[in-house]
Amino acid sequence: VRRRAAEELLREKQKLEHVVGVIGAGLTLIGRDHRILWANPKIREWFGPEAAEGKRCHEVYCRRETACAACPAEECFTTSANHESEATLVRADGQMRRYHHAVTPVFGPGGSVDHVLKLTLDVTDETKKVYQLSRLRQLGELMQGVLDLDRLLHFVLTCVTAGQALGFNRALLFLVDRDRNALVGRVGVGPASGEEAGRIWSEISRESPTLEDLLGRYEREKGRAPSALDVLTRGMSVSLEDSEHILARCALGRKPILVNDAERDPRVREDFRRVLGLRQFLLMPLVVHNEPVGVILADNPFSGQAIGEEHVELLSMFATQAAIAITNAESYHAVQAEKRHLEQAYRELADAQDRLVRSERLVAIGRMATHVAHEIRNPLVTIGGFANTILNHPETGREQVDRYARIISSEVRRLENILARVMDFTRPPKPLLKPASVNGVVQETVEQILPAAGKRGVTVRVEMGEPAAVLLMDAEQMKQVCLNLTQNALDAMPNGGTLTVCVRNEGEEVTISVANTGEPVRPEDAGKIFEPFFTTKPGGT
């Protein structure tokens, strides 16, 4: 009876193994101490040699030294009910796999749960596409907000190589340099050797970092020495005129290129293959508005995982978003560079303007000094001459001395007027604004110049605005303006002519114009008429 029972049990076990094998599932029998009593070949295939009988379930399924906080086997022992869960595991080869576990109680003769049967399905492929499509959407949103070009490029390749995203072992990014008409290596992300790959995968397996954790490493590691792959990438450049080179062919053709055997593919040059140690690899163009932006090279030289059409499709979708983000970052970088250039140009222009203003001030001071010296020379000579006469000739009569004194007093007043005019120029008085008639100001000005105009044979014509405009202004300063203009007009007509002073009321504005029939301002002098002390009149100011 016992022999028949053992044979029956063996047959049931073989049936179970056959059914489980057909559906491609893993199966283990676990005792109450969480030790694996039996495991089918699929478990050892998935979880390695450590999935041996006698190992605790958390050591195999979770790679942990201690029991899990929510152990499905313990839940089944405690509740005597079926229990299902899903978990992600990074295998020793760096591949991230997703497993679905179903735990069923096995009751003993007394009705207690003596063992649990754990059925495991690898649902990576089923969930991966949904997960990756969701990740691609999230990554696209994240990338659009990154405007620092170096950070963005590192971000892009981290997404290409992270197991939580596209999962390639390594990736290199080349950007189009328009000035050089070449593809220039910018960033390389990934291990440089199998040993380094094993160390990285071991760390990832222990720490289980999220994609956000991996992206955050850029800020933490910024400033450190670049990796060997990054240095190698940055030293590479391919001319776009070399259309036979596979990188240039990918960029110019704007289509992905999957190379299954780099050693035998005639499109792959020996030096390019040897430097990067290429076997199977994928080239993905970055294109915006049908213009190539760059190329991503991705491969799996350490895990040996084959690159299939699904990888091409996913990387192509990601590359579209990455190309747009890179173009945006490059445009922002160009705008910032132009802004810095304009700011520097503005600073240089402001400095030049300051120097020009200082120079003009010096010129104005020089002209004013010349003018003052010219103006005061004659009064001073007169004063000095008569004063010396009085001193050197004490016998001069009282009447003569009084005449000399009056001349000296007159010249002193002349000097005072000259100094007053200079002070008016250097410190113009603040306008005293009061309502005043524009016609009245013009009429007083004309009456003041009429005697001088008559002596020069100049006819003065006046056209007054009607009705007479009353404005808020400093009448005395406005009168001085009109006097200067009319006096200049008279000086331009030494042999007679016509002086026309016209006032026009034009809506909210009043215009005063002064015209004459004398010589016009010479074209070469037109730009100087507002310079202080510029004059074309002998002895004029």
Side-chain angles (χ1 to χ4, degrees), residues 170 172 229 232-233 236 269-278:
R170 64 178 185 174
L172 290 70
L229 182 62
L232 179 63
T233 304
M236 300 179 69
R269 293 182 182 173
E270 173 64 20
D271 56 344
F272 182 65
R273 180 190 66 79
R274 188 175 60 253
V275 166
L276 294 176
L278 297 172

Side-chain angles (χ1 to χ4, degrees), residues 147-157 171-178 180 182-189 218 226-238 247 276 286 293-297 326-327 329-331 333-334:
L147 294 176
D148 181 303
L149 186 58
D150 290 335
R151 183 169 181 266
L152 175 63
L153 298 182
H154 191 275
F155 183 108
V156 168
L157 292 199
L172 290 70
L173 193 149
F174 300 82
L175 288 184
V176 173
D177 186 325
R178 303 293 177 192
R180 296 166 57 183
L183 281 166
V184 178
R186 289 295 301 269
V187 183
V189 170
Y218 174 79
S227 67
L229 182 62
D230 195 35
V231 172
L232 179 63
T233 304
R234 292 174 186 271
M236 300 179 69
S237 176
V238 175
L247 278 178
L276 294 176
L286 301 173
V293 174
V295 173
I296 292 176
L297 185 155
I326 290 171
T327 301
E330 286 183 325
S331 299
H333 179 75

Side-chain angles (χ1 to χ4, degrees), residues 252-281:
L252 297 174
R254 301 168 181 80
K255 292 182 180 179
I257 297 177
L258 177 60
V259 175
N260 290 309
D261 188 346
E263 189 172 0
R264 289 184 171 84
D265 196 314
R267 298 172 297 178
V268 184
R269 293 182 182 173
E270 173 64 20
D271 56 344
F272 182 65
R273 180 190 66 79
R274 188 175 60 253
V275 166
L276 294 176
L278 297 172
R279 294 193 289 274
Q280 186 192 38
F281 65 93

Side-chain angles (χ1 to χ4, degrees), residues 360-361 363-368 371 425 528-535 541:
E360 288 180 345
R361 285 174 180 168
V363 170
I365 291 171
R367 288 176 176 173
M368 185 169 67
H371 163 70
F425 171 74
K528 304 176 184 177
I529 59 175
F530 291 107
E531 291 183 8
F533 303 106
F534 170 74
T535 182
T541 54

Side-chain angles (χ1 to χ4, degrees), residues 49-362:
E50 61 270 22
E53 296 173 0
K55 289 284 188 179
R56 287 184 170 84
C57 61
H58 51 261
E59 294 175 325
V60 173
Y61 290 103
C62 305
R63 305 270 176 86
R64 294 170 56 95
E65 297 294 330
T66 57
C68 306
C71 177
E74 185 61 33
E75 288 281 338
C76 192
F77 280 121
T78 303
T79 63
S80 301
N82 295 337
H83 183 78
E84 294 188 19
S85 64
E86 286 195 1
T88 300
L89 180 69
V90 179
R91 301 197 317 201
D93 61 2
Q95 292 189 42
M96 182 173 290
R97 309 299 295 180
R98 185 76 174 173
Y99 296 103
H100 181 86
H101 304 291
V103 184
T104 302
V106 178
F107 295 96
S112 62
V113 180
D114 293 342
H115 307 88
V116 295
L117 196 63
K118 187 169 185 177
L119 179 73
T120 300
L121 296 173
D122 186 340
V123 294
T124 303
D125 294 336
E126 288 75 10
T127 60
K128 191 173 184 180
K129 285 190 177 181
V130 175
Y131 175 79
Q132 286 180 324
L133 290 173
S134 173
R135 265 303 189 191
L136 286 176
R137 180 184 59 80
Q138 295 174 12
L139 293 174
E141 293 173 354
L142 286 172
M143 280 191 299
Q144 303 311 314
V146 180
L147 294 176
D148 181 303
L149 186 58
D150 290 335
R151 183 169 181 266
L152 175 63
L153 298 182
H154 191 275
F155 183 108
V156 168
L157 292 199
T158 299
C159 294
V160 173
T161 55
Q164 300 89 326
L166 300 178
F168 288 91
N169 288 177
R170 64 178 185 174
L172 290 70
L173 193 149
F174 300 82
L175 288 184
V176 173
D177 186 325
R178 303 293 177 192
D179 295 332
R180 296 166 57 183
N181 193 33
L183 281 166
V184 178
R186 289 295 301 269
V187 183
V189 170
S193 64
E195 292 75 13
E196 185 180 352
R199 178 179 57 78
I200 292 173
W201 292 334
S202 176
E203 291 176 358
I204 293 175
S205 177
R206 290 196 305 272
E207 300 172 5
S208 298
T210 65
L211 178 59
E212 287 72 16
D213 294 331
L214 294 174
L215 295 175
R217 287 184 179 179
Y218 174 79
E219 299 298 336
R220 297 192 297 271
E221 297 177 359
K222 189 164 60 174
R224 296 185 184 179
S227 67
L229 182 62
D230 195 35
V231 172
L232 179 63
T233 304
R234 292 174 186 271
M236 300 179 69
S237 176
V238 175
S239 172
L240 288 173
E241 294 180 1
D242 185 4
S243 58
E244 294 302 313
H245 195 289
I246 195 166
L247 278 178
R249 181 179 297 188
C250 177
L252 297 174
R254 301 168 181 80
K255 292 182 180 179
I257 297 177
L258 177 60
V259 175
N260 290 309
D261 188 346
E263 189 172 0
R264 289 184 171 84
D265 196 314
R267 298 172 297 178
V268 184
R269 293 182 182 173
E270 173 64 20
D271 56 344
F272 182 65
R273 180 190 66 79
R274 188 175 60 253
V275 166
L276 294 176
L278 297 172
R279 294 193 289 274
Q280 186 192 38
F281 65 93
L282 174 61
L283 293 179
M284 184 61 61
L286 301 173
V287 180
V288 175
H289 300 311
N290 205 36
E291 286 295 321
V293 174
V295 173
I296 292 176
L297 185 155
D299 66 350
N300 297 314
F302 309 116
S303 69
Q305 181 183 7
I307 302 173
E309 288 302 319
E310 68 276 10
H311 300 98
V312 178
E313 181 182 353
L314 285 170
L315 185 55
S316 178
M317 294 169 61
F318 175 75
T320 300
Q321 300 176 75
I324 295 172
I326 290 171
T327 301
N328 291 341
E330 286 183 325
S331 299
Y332 176 79
H333 179 75
V335 169
Q336 291 299 103
E338 183 63 21
K339 178 185 174 184
R340 290 191 295 270
H341 174 73
L342 290 176
E343 288 174 346
Q344 177 63 26
Y346 176 78
R347 287 192 293 269
E348 292 176 357
L349 180 61
D351 291 342
Q353 187 177 24
D354 287 342
R355 290 193 298 270
L356 180 60
V357 169
R358 289 194 296 270
S359 175
E360 288 180 345
R361 285 174 180 168
L362 291 174

